Amino acid sequence: MKKAVVVFSGGQDSTTCLVQALKQYDEVHAITFDYGQRHKLEIEVAQALAQKLGVAAHKVMDVSLLNELAISSLTRDDIPVSHELQENGLPNSFVPGRNILFLTLAGIYAYQIGANAVITGVCETDFSGYPDCRNDFIKAMNSALVQGMDRDLEIVTPLMWLDKAETWALADKYQALDLVRQETLTCYNGVIGDGCGDCPSCELRANGLNQYLDNKDNVMQALNAKSE
């Protein structure tokens, strides 16, 4: 039996990964992390979607200690999300160590339930400048988990080389375009669906959707070519 664990935030990317995983694996578990993020609504959205999509199990894990260590606009209500980069070249929405922690815990969970895949929606093609979304980081993290637990495990990144338009196409390929558009939460200001329209996450999401809707056939063709 093929089992997978999906790192699931209830956002566009992780929901698209979850929809695909449910078609590709015999048993799919979702794991969501409560790290004291700006909007608790994110967890509620993840819970509702996991139930609606019918995952084998959905685990919500308290990792609020991250909030104590990682200062970011996504962990502090008094820090507004900015379009400007910080002095270190990163957006102030970057949460240092977040994916290191999430993938470590997801790997442990996968070990316990006998899953050989951890799926995450990180992307290097269309990303916000986060270093822990890059392919080199994923490969290093994968190697550390395999060596540290002495067990075969693959971190699967279905969106790594897709742009946002192709990510929308992937959702559409699995008949989940409306679900992802209307019921996921990607907005940094906590607005479900199309979002606030102003934050960097909403801009990236909207631009990708418009590109896909304006040129569906070509975008889907590009997606299928990357999937071969």
Side-chain angles (χ1 to χ4, degrees):
M1 176 182 283
K2 290 175 61 180
K3 290 185 183 181
V5 173
V6 177
V7 179
F8 186 52
S9 70
Q12 175 191 357
D13 294 341
S14 66
T15 302
T16 301
C17 288
L18 180 58
V19 167
Q20 182 185 53
L22 288 165
K23 299 292 186 181
Q24 295 180 337
Y25 293 85
D26 301 308
E27 185 175 303
V28 177
H29 294 241
I31 185 167
T32 299
F33 297 101
D34 180 356
Y35 61 96
Q37 54 264 63
R38 191 182 189 97
H39 301 292
K40 291 289 186 181
L41 182 59
E42 181 178 299
I43 297 169
E44 296 173 16
V45 168
Q47 289 173 320
L49 285 168
Q51 183 175 9
K52 183 171 186 173
L53 291 169
V55 300
H58 181 213
K59 188 175 191 65
V60 178
M61 182 170 289
D62 183 354
V63 291
S64 52
L65 78 165
L66 182 62
N67 183 280
E68 299 175 23
L69 299 172
I71 298 175
S72 160
S73 62
L74 298 191
T75 61
R76 298 291 188 276
D77 290 336
D78 59 344
I79 302 177
V81 177
S82 173
H83 289 263
E84 304 297 326
L85 298 180
Q86 301 175 96
E87 291 183 3
N88 60 6
L90 297 174
N92 76 349
S93 55
F94 173 61
V95 182
R98 179 172 60 174
N99 282 343
I100 297 172
L101 178 62
F102 288 3
L103 290 172
T104 298
L105 295 173
I108 296 169
Y109 183 49
Y111 183 101
Q112 295 297 336
I113 66 169
N116 289 106
V118 169
I119 301 171
T120 178
V122 299
C123 171
E124 186 167 323
T125 304
D126 245 349
F127 74 133
S128 301
Y130 300 161
D132 59 357
C133 289
R134 295 172 182 159
N135 195 50
D136 284 348
F137 161 72
I138 294 296
K139 290 192 293 186
M141 194 73 209
N142 203 153
S143 176
L145 288 172
V146 169
Q147 293 182 55
M149 297 192 295
D150 194 21
R151 187 172 183 276
D152 287 339
L153 180 72
E154 181 183 9
I155 300 178
V156 181
T157 55
L159 311 184
M160 181 59 73
W161 307 116
L162 305 186
D163 62 27
K164 260 301 182 274
E166 291 163 345
T167 299
W168 282 111
L170 184 61
D172 203 8
K173 184 176 181 178
Y174 291 103
Q175 295 80 49
L177 181 65
D178 289 342
L179 172 79
V180 172
R181 182 173 182 179
Q182 297 168 9
E183 299 183 40
T184 62
L185 174 57
T186 305
C187 174
Y188 289 156
N189 289 313
V191 181
I192 296 173
D194 289 336
C196 70
D198 182 58
C199 73
S201 181
C202 282
E203 288 184 355
L204 185 62
R205 174 178 166 130
N207 289 339
L209 178 60
N210 291 333
Q211 289 171 27
Y212 175 58
L213 295 178
D214 290 343
N215 202 2
K216 276 190 174 185
D217 291 343
N218 286 342
V219 175
M220 189 66 76
Q221 188 175 31
L223 170 67
N224 290 334
K226 290 182 178 181
S227 301
E228 291 177 356

